[in-house]
Each structure stands twice: as structure tokens, then as C-alpha cells.
Amino acid sequence: MTGTALLTGCTSGDGDAVSVTKARQASAAERTRARAARDSAALGARYDEVIAAHPSLAQRLGPLRAEVASHAMAFGSGGPGSPSPSSSLASSGSPSPSGAGAPSGAASPVPVPAAPKDALASLAARERELADTRTVQSVDVPGELARLLASVAASGAAHAYLLTEGGK
């Protein structure tokens, strides 16, 4: 009888440990999703800033910016408790006031370069940086989120190419 009680206790404890591990993984995945949504929203706001500073680039940047907005929506639509993307992506008008265009947690926004070519290069650099970050993050999260991160990373890499090489 004592042996049964010990086995039951051990099994219950292992189950609790598994539950805690799964809860931590889910929490980490949600943090990754939330960060990805914020990063996409900030990138969309940066596109807005570049378009506002260089209206001649609006036609070229419009489709890329629309894809970035859809990425933010995809990361923000993960179910209950998921973050919603910045309202700045809902309209192509005003950028986010929270340091848009800068990496997560940055204190101040980076000014848009005066030359259109330099502005495109800065967008391409941000797209590449996010693509690299998302590729790394995709290794540590569960299936569906990993696939989404990888897909958006590939899209970001394509955007970087189009922003630099695509106009040549």
C-alpha cells in the first residue's frame, strides 16, 4: 500500500512538472508572438515615416508596407490574450509614437535619411534584422508559430532584396 502511495505521488509530481513546463513554453511562445506583432507594427510605422518623408517612394513601398501590416495582423491574431497590432497599421496615415522603426525597446526613433536611396537602405537593413531575429526565434517555439515566423522571415528577406536590388 505504501508503495502505491509513493508511485501515485511521483506520478502526480511528474504530471505537475510537465504541466509547468508546457505552461512556460506557451508563455514563451506568447511573448515571442507579442514581440513579433510589436516589431511588425514598428516596421509598418517606419514605412509610413519613409513614405511621409519621400512621397515619391509611396508607389514602390505601398505593397511592401501592406504585407508588413498583414504580418502584424497574423501575429496579433493568435487567439485570446494575444496582442493586437498597433493602430498605426490600421491606417496608412500616422506612425506609432513609440519609437517606431527602432528595434524593440529602443528609446528614441531614428530619423528618416534625407536621400531616398539611403531611406530604402535603412528599411532594407531593418527588414534583414527582423528576418534574422525571426529565423532564430522560430527554432524555440511550437509548430504553427515557428512556421509563421519562418514565413514572415522569408518575406522580410525578399523585401530587403526588393528595397535594395529590386530597383536596379
Side-chain angles (χ1 to χ4, degrees), residues 91-112:
S91 70
S92 60
S94 62
S96 169
S98 62
S104 287
S108 65
V110 176
V112 174

Side-chain angles (χ1 to χ4, degrees), residues 13-155:
D14 289 344
D16 290 343
V18 169
S19 295
V20 169
T21 300
K22 285 183 179 182
R24 285 184 184 149
Q25 288 172 340
S27 177
E30 284 309 309
R31 284 191 306 273
T32 299
R33 182 184 290 276
R35 179 178 177 193
R38 283 191 310 271
D39 287 347
S40 289
L43 181 59
R46 186 60 175 180
Y47 269 88
D48 290 342
E49 292 169 356
V50 171
I51 291 169
H54 301 287
S56 63
L57 297 175
Q59 186 174 8
R60 180 174 179 186
L61 297 180
L64 301 177
R65 193 222 173 275
E67 283 191 19
V68 169
S70 70
H71 298 159
M73 298 284 285
F75 286 121
S77 63
S82 294
S84 60
S86 167
S87 60
S88 71
L89 288 178
S91 70
S92 60
S94 62
S96 169
S98 62
S104 287
S108 65
V110 176
V112 174
K117 182 178 180 179
D118 294 337
L120 291 173
S122 74
L123 277 175
R126 183 65 179 136
E127 288 274 16
R128 276 190 296 276
E129 176 186 333
L130 273 177
D132 291 346
T133 297
R134 289 172 173 161
T135 299
V136 170
Q137 289 172 334
S138 69
V139 173
D140 296 326
V141 294
E144 189 62 33
L145 181 55
R147 286 185 288 277
L148 179 58
L149 284 165
S151 176
V152 173
S155 179

